[in-house]
Amino acid sequence: MRDTLAFLQELSYHNDRDWFTAHKDWYVACHKRFEALTAEYIRRLSLLDPSMANLQPKDCIWRIYRDVRFSLDKRPYKEWFGTFPAPGGGKHSPQGGYYLHIQPGHSLFAAGIWCPEPDLLKTLRREIEANYDEVEEIMSKRSFKRYFTDFDKEWSLKKVPAGFDPAFVHADWLKLKAFTVSTPLTDDEVCAPDFMDHLMDIAKAAKPLNDFLNYTFTF
């Protein structure tokens, strides 16, 4: 993955169509490697969750081309590679999955459900409110604490939403607009020969939380 990180680093310095066109072969080679990594990632994850066995890399990998139509940021290319194997359709699935983000100095693994639709968000809050002890138990396990601490707090309301108890023991959870956990990955970890083994250790630690969140889809 060193070459992929090097490409992404250079792309961050020269994020324009002329540079990208001149280095298209480099991009294609890096993308093929990321497709192969995603294919192995899906294969390994499907041993944990057979419902993902039919996913293909194209179902999970985001395009490098940015949609700049409504953005003040007119850079044409993403400066990262991302893949999201998840039950129910990969990157388009509303269910909790296993996101891998590759970017020099900013790689990470994340699990859970990011910014769900309002009805699902309300349902998830209800499930967490009613079964917070299950979430506490999941987060107390040594395997979980090795990589995570709590739900990510970047996407949060200032107040507990209407219809929920502001005095709830985990009111901070009820304020969340996304139920995700994440852990950083160093460049050395991403490039290590045992990276996939390391990634799967993290995914296994996150699976009980994903299972809890995805339980809402069984109704």
Side-chain angles (χ1 to χ4, degrees):
M1 294 293 288
R2 290 285 180 196
D3 189 57
T4 298
L5 292 176
F7 168 79
L8 292 170
Q9 189 69 70
E10 288 298 314
L11 179 60
S12 71
Y13 298 146
H14 311 283
N15 196 331
D16 61 72
R17 289 181 176 81
D18 289 342
W19 185 90
F20 190 84
T21 300
H23 296 83
K24 187 68 174 289
D25 289 346
W26 193 7
Y27 161 71
V28 170
C30 292
H31 189 266
K32 286 182 178 179
R33 281 194 294 271
F34 193 68
E35 281 186 328
L37 183 147
T38 296
E40 177 61 10
Y41 190 29
I42 292 169
R43 187 190 72 80
R44 298 276 291 268
L45 285 171
S46 67
L47 299 177
L48 291 178
D49 185 345
S51 71
M52 292 191 283
N54 293 325
L55 287 176
Q56 300 298 318
K58 64 180 176 63
D59 302 323
C60 306
I61 297 174
W62 272 271
R63 286 163 47 88
I64 200 167
Y65 306 98
R66 296 183 66 247
D67 184 351
V68 300
R69 291 174 298 172
F70 308 108
S71 175
L72 295 176
D73 182 354
K74 298 302 182 182
R75 289 175 298 171
Y77 307 106
K78 302 182 180 82
E79 296 169 0
W80 46 268
F81 285 138
T83 185
F84 184 65
K91 64 179 182 281
H92 297 302
S93 173
Q95 298 190 46
Y98 304 86
Y99 177 61
L100 173 61
H101 180 96
I102 300 296
Q103 183 177 11
H106 300 283
S107 297
L108 62 85
F109 168 97
I113 298 178
W114 184 79
C115 294
E117 294 297 321
D119 287 346
L120 176 56
L121 179 58
K122 186 175 182 178
T123 299
L124 288 168
R125 285 174 173 151
R126 291 292 184 206
E127 285 297 310
I128 287 172
E129 185 180 45
N131 302 286
Y132 71 90
D133 53 331
E134 290 185 39
V135 181
E136 287 181 336
E137 183 178 357
I138 290 168
M139 292 186 173
S140 70
K141 292 185 180 300
R142 183 179 301 178
S143 57
F144 184 92
K145 293 168 69 175
R146 183 179 180 185
Y147 300 110
F148 315 108
T149 54
D150 198 347
F151 286 116
D152 298 323
K153 297 298 196 297
E154 286 88 343
W155 305 279
S156 181
L157 301 172
K158 292 183 178 180
K159 297 181 179 180
V160 172
F164 293 89
D165 182 5
F168 176 58
V169 63
H170 289 294
D172 57 327
W173 290 353
L174 300 181
K175 296 177 186 177
L176 295 175
K177 295 187 287 184
F179 293 101
T180 63
V181 294
S182 61
T183 188
L185 300 166
T186 68
D187 290 355
D188 286 342
E189 286 174 332
V190 168
C191 296
D194 64 347
F195 175 55
M196 186 56 65
D197 292 335
H198 179 54
L199 194 58
M200 290 309 303
D201 282 343
I202 304 174
K204 289 174 184 176
K207 185 177 185 296
L209 183 61
N210 267 347
D211 289 345
F212 175 89
L213 296 172
N214 288 340
Y215 179 73
T216 60
F217 292 88
T218 65
F219 295 112

